[in-house]
Amino acid sequence: MTNALCHAQSLSFQEAETQLLQSSYSSQAFNSLQQAAALEAEAVKGLGLPRVDLNVRAYAFHSEVDVPLKQFKNNLESTLSQGINGQINQWESNAGLPSGITDPLQTGVNNTIHSGIGLIPDTSNVILEDQVIRPTVSVMMPLYTGGLTNSVKEIAKIESGRSQLSNQQQQDTQRFELIQSYFNVQLQKELQAAAQFNLNAMQQHYRNALKLEQQGFISKGQRMQFEVARNNAERGYQNTQANLNAALFQLNNLLQQSQITELTTPLFVNRAEPNNVNTLLNTFKESSPLVKKMQMDTELAKANVKAQQATKKPNVFAFGEYSLDEKENWIVGVAARYNLFSGLDKNKNIQAAELKRYASELMTARTQQEIESLIYKAYSEAISAQQSDVLLQQNLKAAQENLRIQEISFKEDVGTASQVIDAQNILSGLKAETALNAYKYVMSLATLLQSHGTIRDFPRYIHQINTRYIGAAHD
């Protein structure tokens, strides 16, 4: 933002509010966070549905193993011997040869078989090597998670709602900050106007005193009293100008502007009292974003307790896999998993979650107590400001009349210069006090509405019937 405030731009409070909520950095940031939380809640809605994956495994393997052959050799030798001996015995019987004549032949054959089999080693070293690319489709579906899936969905949903409340709370905070900044400018303008009025009056008194001194009606000391009063008034005016420049800079900076100098919504005091304090105390829980957000924190803590309890329960899931290569292998089944030990004390985690839930409930109750105190205090201050405004109007009339009387008395040499100066300062001070009291009312009203959670209704009070406006500006 540039320091030069050129090309003056006028702005009503409602225009400033719209501009702030639409374009401020905070609004954009919290809108993004709210959208992110909503998307995260949408993202977990599909939890519990089957998970389908396309897998591709590319691997090479080398395997070396010793295969025992001794049992194989014994079985082979026994099978060959029995087979050949059987054939020899059958041939002996069919040829009508004497029994036992072929025994030497069988013995020789058996020895030959034994010797041949003996050439085979007792073990064989087998090496397997291959390179494989295997695509598959796998499916996994949770059947039972102990309530963890529902807890995750519930937490995401609560977080989304909480983000909306955070956004609303941030907007209410910005509204309060704008009310403070906007009407501070109006206050500084009124204080500057009161200081300008006082300076003009003191200058006029000083000029009159010079003439009276020259004519011999008053002493130099009396004239110098007016000179000191004029200089003090000028110093006060310079201070109010500096304060006004600072307030304008703050407002322009808040609205990311550089040209706002004229504000059309003046300070005001409603004649009608705000809503009944007992009604406000009984209804703020339903309207306050802070209270509702803290209640959601308690709901989050409860959901976390359920999630921690779910970690102690077994998981059951169905699974399947189908190979997409030419072999078309497949597998389906159901599996259960129950953790026996992981190094994590789940019971203590559950106890910790319960304590956090309890702490959240206590903090919510404490916050409600603090809000009740704020509502009652702000309500009392707003009523006090309304009552003070009535008395200040009466005092302004009396101060104006008193100044008129003191001026006449001084001219007739009945009163003193100090009495005129005091009367002038009292009148100027009442003008400034009237503006300060109106600002006090505006901020008390804003505090009351923000504590109740209805600060968005603030513009309605600006245009409420039977309202007194302080200053010339009025949108």
Side-chain angles (χ1 to χ4, degrees), residues 118-186:
L119 297 176
I120 301 174
D122 290 341
T123 61
S124 177
N125 184 260
V126 178
I127 298 175
L128 299 176
E129 291 184 339
D130 199 359
Q131 293 182 347
V132 179
I133 297 178
R134 180 170 297 168
T136 62
V137 174
S138 62
V139 179
M140 180 175 291
M141 179 176 179
L143 301 178
Y144 177 75
T145 61
L148 182 60
T149 300
N150 291 334
S151 295
V152 171
K153 291 181 179 180
E154 183 181 3
I155 288 173
K157 182 179 179 181
I158 295 173
E159 287 283 7
S160 178
R162 189 180 184 279
S163 180
Q164 292 180 358
L165 290 173
S166 294
N167 195 5
Q168 182 180 343
Q169 186 182 11
Q170 175 269 336
Q171 289 180 356
D172 287 353
T173 300
Q174 284 197 305
R175 288 186 175 99
F176 184 86
E177 185 179 359
L178 177 63
I179 292 170
Q180 191 175 36
S181 182
Y182 187 98
F183 288 100
N184 182 45
V185 172
Q186 296 295 60

Side-chain angles (χ1 to χ4, degrees), residues 317-338:
F317 55 91
F319 65 91
E321 187 172 59
Y322 179 78
S323 176
L324 299 178
D325 58 16
E326 68 280 358
K327 296 181 180 180
E328 298 184 351
N329 296 326
W330 57 270
I331 182 173
V332 294
V334 177
R337 179 174 59 196
Y338 183 77

Side-chain angles (χ1 to χ4, degrees), residues 24 51 90 101 144 206 233 268 326-327 355 384 429 448 457:
S24 73
R51 170 175 173 167
Q90 185 177 2
I101 193 170
Y144 177 75
Y206 177 66
F268 65 95
E326 68 280 358
K327 296 181 180 180
L355 288 172
S384 174
L448 178 65
D457 295 335

